[in-house]
Amino acid sequence: MKHGRATVAIVGAGPAGSAAAYVTASHGLRTVLLDRTHHPREKVCGEGCTPRAVQNLRRMGLDLALEGAPITHSHLVSPGGIELLAKLPGTIHGGQALVIPRATLDERLAQRAAQAGADLRQDVRVDRVSVHLTYARLHLHDGSTLDADVVIGCDGMPSVVRRSLGAPAFAPSQTATAMRGIYENVVLEHDRALMLVWDRAVLPAYGWVFPLPGGRANVGIGLRMDQLRARGRSLHEVHEAFLALPRIRRVLGDACRVGRVKGHPLPMTASPGEFVFDRALLAGDAAGFVNPLTGEGIEYALESGDLAGRVVVQAAQLGSFGRRDLMPYAWACTDQLLSVLRLNGWLRHVFAVPWLLDRLFRASLRSERLQEDIARIALGGEGAGFTARMAWGAVRG
């Protein structure tokens, strides 16, 4: 049984899918946005939106400051315990960040896409995608099919669309697992700061404490799978070691965990590989667009979804959806995303060297510009990089 035909079928109504649907529907293309669950739904995530993510939300006409916890500072801790608390400079995409529950964020984004004209279909599971000469076909779990001129896979990791298109699965060295718990009755000393911790006890894992509305906090860690196996420990054990750090015990105080600790895999690679095909594109986690240093993916999901939508609009105007017609998406991603991912792939090696991070942080205590350089790297600002100022700071310590 068929369910008609669309111009654009988007699999996954998370940030990437909703951003893509908002663009294509806003331009009058018949857009079907599918999700295997129903909003609002929980998603295991750090739930932090960097200034770059907030900027992309506003581009969609969404201001969610009242539904999240506004963030004005970064609170970074080096392996040796050197703390860097710095105000987010306006030069980093406006300097305004946000922590918002993913259930709220994803629902608002899907609603925004529907308001723009997208046909949002929830509780619809896609089993596979097949690409033909004049159409792409989505084979649904209930036995029906949906045909479209082009498919955008935004179904996270693992991605049904990615697998159907023949793209290789991410290797263990390209895969990380994040584990987080939600705590209530949290009284944070810096309740408007994104806290990132690189501690010797859990390296090469990194940890975070992000404030949520209503006196809650998202607390977790992330670690690449190959590194986890090399340690011979479970992620749960590393997570418990992070919670046992004196610094984290002080931060959480008498807070209580709500529900159980949950984990989720995510791609963490500086080289995502192929993400443009005949009549199909991949965006967000499905394409591998996640910061390999911090594990941040929301900003890249929103931005890649927006880029995918814009390229599909251009292809629709030409009336052709072959790989060559969709290649401007690859060029735009290379320009706006991949250079940052590759840089952060290199920087994660720097951030795994305890003495180097300690020297950088110690030097930054005497230099506001060096603080901004480090914050720019951690929070995805334009022009982030290992600057000459950072190199000199590492030398001087």
Side-chain angles (χ1 to χ4, degrees):
M1 181 177 64
K2 293 185 179 181
H3 282 170
R5 178 162 179 152
T7 304
V8 191
I10 300 172
V11 183
S18 293
Y22 172 76
V23 172
T24 57
S26 296
H27 284 81
L29 302 187
R30 188 186 174 206
T31 301
V32 178
L33 176 61
L34 308 172
D35 199 275
R36 64 181 299 166
T37 58
H38 196 283
H39 292 291
R41 45 107 166 106
E42 187 180 22
K43 171 69 186 295
V44 176
C45 175
E47 301 179 312
C49 292
T50 64
R52 185 171 181 167
V54 171
Q55 191 175 71
N56 279 292
L57 289 171
R58 288 177 175 167
R59 186 164 56 193
M60 293 177 62
L62 287 172
D63 188 348
L64 302 177
L66 296 180
E67 298 184 77
I71 299 298
T72 58
H73 288 70
S74 62
H75 182 195
L76 311 179
V77 184
S78 79
I82 301 171
E83 298 189 47
L84 174 59
L85 179 66
K87 182 175 176 60
L88 301 181
T91 54
I92 302 180
H93 298 281
Q96 298 182 25
L98 183 71
V99 181
I100 182 170
R102 279 297 298 271
T104 302
L105 175 66
D106 289 9
E107 183 178 27
R108 297 294 179 268
L109 283 166
Q111 290 172 346
R112 190 72 182 108
Q115 291 167 359
D119 178 7
L120 175 61
R121 302 181 187 179
Q122 304 184 82
D123 296 315
V124 177
R125 177 176 167 180
V126 178
D127 284 342
R128 66 184 179 92
V129 176
S130 58
V131 176
H132 305 268
L133 183 62
T134 59
Y135 63 93
R137 174 165 290 173
L138 276 63
H139 302 262
L140 309 183
H141 191 63
D142 64 3
S144 64
T145 60
L146 172 66
D147 292 347
D149 292 324
V150 63
V151 174
I152 305 178
C154 305
D155 49 339
M157 178 186 168
S159 165
V160 169
V161 179
R162 181 184 179 90
R163 184 173 65 249
S164 298
L165 295 173
F170 295 106
S173 61
Q174 299 175 311
T175 306
T177 299
M179 178 171 280
R180 67 97 176 105
I182 303 298
Y183 291 78
E184 63 181 9
N185 300 322
V186 180
V187 181
L188 298 175
E189 180 183 0
H190 307 298
D191 60 356
R192 291 203 168 191
L194 294 174
M195 184 179 188
L196 289 171
V197 180
W198 291 268
D199 192 279
R200 283 183 170 85
V202 295
L203 281 175
Y206 64 93
W208 68 81
V209 179
F210 292 170
L212 282 164
R216 296 183 303 147
N218 184 310
V219 183
I221 61 166
L223 182 61
R224 277 203 345 244
M225 291 303 298
D226 60 329
Q227 295 172 327
L228 181 63
R229 292 173 183 173
R231 290 176 68 98
R233 302 170 66 187
S234 70
L235 190 65
H236 179 75
E237 290 173 328
V238 179
H239 185 256
E240 289 298 314
F242 177 69
L243 295 177
L245 295 175
R247 179 183 308 279
I248 302 304
R249 290 206 308 267
R250 289 195 302 270
V251 167
L252 292 180
D254 296 325
C256 300
R257 194 178 72 223
V258 180
R260 60 188 181 88
V261 174
K262 297 182 179 181
H264 185 74
L266 67 156
M268 209 165 183
T269 173
S271 302
E274 191 173 10
F275 49 87
V276 179
F277 308 83
D278 283 332
R279 296 189 175 275
L281 299 173
L282 299 174
D285 285 15
F289 296 150
V290 174
N291 188 321
L293 175 63
T294 65
E296 158 58 27
I298 295 175
E299 64 181 67
Y300 300 103
L302 290 168
E303 197 150 328
S304 62
D306 178 83
L307 291 173
R310 294 182 185 279
V311 169
V312 165
V313 169
Q314 294 172 5
Q317 293 170 347
L318 297 173
S320 182
F321 298 93
R323 184 175 185 275
R324 184 170 61 180
D325 305 294
L326 299 176
M327 277 305 292
Y329 174 60
W331 304 334
C333 288
T334 298
D335 181 51
Q336 297 189 36
L337 304 178
L338 295 190
S339 59
V340 178
L341 294 181
R342 288 166 184 156
L343 170 66
N344 280 282
W346 179 80
L347 285 171
R348 72 183 174 194
H349 300 295
V350 176
F351 274 63
V353 181
W355 66 265
L356 180 55
L357 266 190
D358 287 342
R359 293 178 73 90
L360 277 174
F361 276 52
R362 190 176 297 114
S364 72
L365 295 176
R366 301 189 297 273
S367 170
E368 290 187 4
R369 295 190 66 184
L370 184 54
Q371 290 181 20
E372 182 174 330
D373 287 343
I374 297 174
R376 191 181 298 277
I377 288 173
L379 299 176
E382 291 178 356
F386 196 79
T387 63
R389 199 163 37 241
M390 293 179 68
W392 181 237
V395 171
R396 297 183 61 194

